[in-house]
Amino acid sequence: MSGTFDGDPFGGEAYDSDFDPAGPDPFDESPAGLSPFTPAPFTLGPALLFCPADRPERYAKAVERADAVILDLEDAVAPEDRAAARRALIEHPLEAARTIVRINSADTTDFALDLAALERTEYRDIMLAKTVSSGQVERLAQFRVIALCETAAGVVSATEIAAARNVVALMWGAEDLVASLGGTSSRFADGRYRDVARYARSQVLLAARAHDKAAIDAVHLDITDTAGLSNEAADAVASGFSATACIHPSQVEVIRTAYQPTAAEVDYALGLLEAAASARGVFQHEGRMIDGPVLRHAEAVLRRAAR
């Protein structure tokens, strides 16, 4: 059975009213009765650039400047402009492999409209705004989901959410988190995060990595604060985040620089691993005691250098 949504978001064209977001997984190539397909690991980044979905003239520029673009149907778009944003999403396609679509939270009327629009595109990497439970992402079985844990309920449930099969990454958000707490600011006057934001950031990172999923660091809203963004991105990569989201093209290179190891770091990692090849157990290298975890740190540096 077909019909049209109230408000005619796609210009009167029909949609499939029987569409079931929890239906068969189109990525599942396993024979019937075998274990379901597991989405490939999240490898986009390190700089993920948000772009309002109602600004299609910016789409191509955004994807050219960043490692991946997040076409935003949620907070970056005024409610009255979301129908136009969904039309633009359909009519101005980008390379699906480098595009993520942020959809509205599962408890909104826009959620079903966003999913119907996505069915008319090639996009299968989505970011679910204000995720609060694994049940919400399990309804999106045909998508690779980045769960955005940006409320008190979402942060508390981050471990459960990360365990969902089709979740490939978790991201956190400071401003919506503080709003959900009834607060007024995520940062002190000097730009440092308040303790509750730092806790949420750590909780999301730990939950993601405990389930071998990627973790994405939140945006830095002060576009002029290049030094602050650089410091946060450097801390993100040192802590284990896989990528950092941003809101302006000028922030892309700052993030890329922070995630790219220096020549000195690469040389040290190579030398350390070379020394380890002939060592037995714990050993000293350039005055430092070296054991297994330190070797894994060096391997992580070389993986980042190869991106």
Side-chain angles (χ1 to χ4, degrees):
M1 181 175 68
S2 294
T4 56
F5 283 115
D6 292 341
D8 198 11
F10 304 136
E13 295 182 45
Y15 78 100
D16 181 2
S17 59
D18 294 324
F19 164 63
D20 178 10
D25 185 349
F27 293 119
D28 188 355
E29 298 177 353
S30 61
L34 297 185
S35 60
F37 172 84
T38 298
F42 181 86
T43 58
L44 295 175
L48 311 178
L49 178 60
F50 275 99
C51 177
D54 64 339
R55 300 298 300 272
E57 72 278 7
R58 296 183 181 179
Y59 285 13
K61 293 179 182 178
V63 79
E64 287 171 5
R65 292 291 300 271
D67 300 305
V69 64
I70 305 169
L71 298 180
D72 193 0
L73 290 169
E74 197 224 8
D75 282 347
V77 181
E80 63 270 20
D81 294 329
R82 285 178 183 154
R86 286 186 279 266
R87 284 196 297 271
L89 189 77
I90 295 166
E91 295 169 359
H92 300 273
L94 293 176
E95 178 188 353
R98 294 180 57 209
T99 304
I100 301 161
V101 179
R102 177 160 75 167
I103 65 172
N104 286 274
S105 57
D107 61 353
T108 65
T109 56
D110 281 302
F111 175 76
L113 299 173
D114 292 347
L115 291 180
L118 282 166
E119 284 301 298
R120 298 175 62 182
T121 74
E122 298 297 320
Y123 303 133
R124 288 300 177 266
D125 286 320
I126 64 172
M127 179 180 289
L128 179 60
K130 300 176 180 63
T131 309
V132 299
S133 71
S134 60
Q136 290 182 337
V137 295
E138 288 166 355
R139 293 167 60 187
L140 303 168
Q142 73 273 46
F143 296 102
R144 290 160 40 90
V145 178
I146 299 166
L148 185 44
C149 301
E150 53 183 339
T151 64
V155 171
V156 169
S157 300
T159 300
E160 168 206 333
I161 293 167
R165 181 182 62 86
N166 57 324
V167 166
V168 295
L170 298 187
M171 180 175 162
W172 77 290
E175 305 314 317
D176 278 300
L177 169 66
V178 171
S180 78
L181 297 170
T184 59
S185 173
S186 67
R187 296 179 186 265
F188 293 107
D190 63 2
R192 291 178 299 116
Y193 277 125
R194 297 183 187 277
D195 287 348
V196 67
R198 290 170 57 84
Y199 169 82
R201 182 176 187 251
S202 298
Q203 171 69 3
V204 169
L205 172 62
L206 289 167
R209 299 307 297 142
H211 290 278
D212 202 24
K213 308 293 176 71
I216 302 170
D217 204 12
V219 299
H220 193 84
L221 293 178
D222 188 347
I223 297 170
T224 64
D225 183 22
T226 303
L229 172 61
S230 179
N231 289 336
E232 284 183 8
D235 179 74
V237 67
S239 298
F241 282 92
S242 303
T244 294
C246 57
I247 57 171
H248 194 273
S250 65
Q251 297 178 316
V252 168
E253 286 306 320
V254 178
I255 293 169
R256 283 175 172 167
T257 298
Y259 276 79
Q260 184 67 24
T262 65
E265 289 172 331
V266 171
D267 287 344
Y268 178 81
L270 288 170
L272 178 58
L273 294 175
E274 182 179 354
S278 58
R280 296 183 62 185
V282 176
F283 66 99
Q284 285 192 44
H285 181 72
E286 297 185 8
R288 184 183 181 190
M289 190 66 69
I290 306 299
D291 60 5
V294 178
L295 296 178
R296 290 196 292 274
H297 297 172
E299 291 167 353
V301 167
L302 297 183
R303 284 196 298 272
R304 284 193 288 118
R307 291 182 72 166

